[in-house]
Amino acid sequence: MEKSESTKIDAVETNKEKKGKAPLLGTAAPAIVAAVAHDGHAKGGGAKRGIAIFDLILRIAAFASALGATVAMATTEETLPFFTQFFQFEASYDDLPAFTFFVVGMGIVVAYLVLSVPFSIVCIVRPHAVVPRLLLIIFDTVIIALATSAAASSAAIVYLAHNGNQDANWLAICQQFGDFCQRASGAVVASFVTVVLLILMVVLSASALRRH
């Protein structure tokens, strides 16, 4: 009889101990879930901050290429060493409307990239901010259209300058104005590099928003 009573007492004590431990487990579970959620939030913020830093680097590189393209085209000018009594053979970027549009358009791209740097820095400081990234996507897309149109129109003129057009009786002028064509071609190449960098920036911003 004594053994059976002691067994019952131990069983009762064991049940009480279990009941006493249950609230502790119930309290610990939400804390564990919160810790896991906070860890995932921190990892997501780190990835977005990395994307924002890379976006800033691309933005600076795009600014450099756009500025180089603008300066190269704006200083494109050549005068041949021979002339006649009535004519002087000279070629300048402002003789062609497409090149003038190129200088103006790429100048706007340069100004925009400078103004967009603070927004990119905000995305680094506050990686979970949505509005700055959304604004960058919208305006980057508009600037891509402007830069692409400027680069494409000038590329067509550079092609004609190098190859001419026999059907329209347009002669290739790059045999005479070699330096002029070389600088114009370099400016066009730099503008297309700018377009590629801008597209990469839009893709990065969209990827960061998708992770939100």
Side-chain angles (χ1 to χ4, degrees):
M1 293 293 290
E2 291 179 356
K3 290 182 178 180
S4 62
E5 289 178 358
S6 62
T7 304
K8 290 180 180 179
I9 292 171
D10 291 340
V12 171
E13 289 178 353
T14 304
N15 290 335
K16 287 182 179 180
E17 289 175 358
K18 289 181 179 179
K19 290 180 180 178
K21 291 178 181 178
L24 294 176
L25 293 173
T27 306
I32 295 173
V33 173
V36 173
H38 182 269
D39 185 61
H41 187 74
K43 288 181 180 179
K48 289 183 178 182
R49 183 173 284 108
I51 292 174
I53 293 173
F54 190 45
D55 175 86
L56 180 61
I57 294 173
L58 289 177
R59 206 165 290 276
I60 294 173
F63 164 78
S65 61
L67 180 62
T70 306
V71 172
M73 185 64 80
T75 56
T76 298
E77 185 177 3
E78 185 178 4
T79 302
L80 297 183
F82 56 87
F83 56 91
T84 65
Q85 183 179 0
F86 302 102
F87 297 102
Q88 184 177 11
F89 299 95
E90 181 181 5
S92 178
Y93 82 94
D94 53 1
D95 293 332
L96 299 167
F99 287 173
T100 303
F101 170 67
F102 180 93
V103 172
V104 174
M106 294 306 296
I108 294 173
V109 173
V110 170
Y112 164 75
L113 289 172
V114 172
L115 295 175
S116 67
V117 168
F119 290 91
S120 184
I121 295 175
V122 169
C123 292
I124 296 174
V125 178
R126 300 180 59 188
H128 294 285
V130 176
V131 176
R133 292 187 187 277
L134 188 59
L135 289 175
L136 285 177
I137 288 178
I138 294 172
F139 288 107
D140 283 352
T141 304
V142 174
I143 290 299
I144 286 173
L146 177 61
T148 303
S149 60
S153 61
S154 295
I157 299 300
V158 168
Y159 176 83
L160 288 175
H162 279 282
N163 301 302
N165 190 317
Q166 295 181 354
D167 296 333
N169 292 324
W170 290 345
L171 301 177
I173 65 170
C174 287
Q175 295 179 355
Q176 292 78 26
F177 297 94
D179 293 339
F180 175 85
C181 291
Q182 186 175 2
R183 291 182 68 87
S185 299
V188 170
V189 171
S191 65
F192 278 113
V193 171
T194 303
V195 171
V196 172
L197 293 175
L198 286 168
I199 292 173
L200 288 176
M201 286 187 286
V202 170
V203 172
L204 284 176
S205 297
S207 176
L209 281 179
R210 189 169 179 267
R211 291 172 176 266
H212 191 270

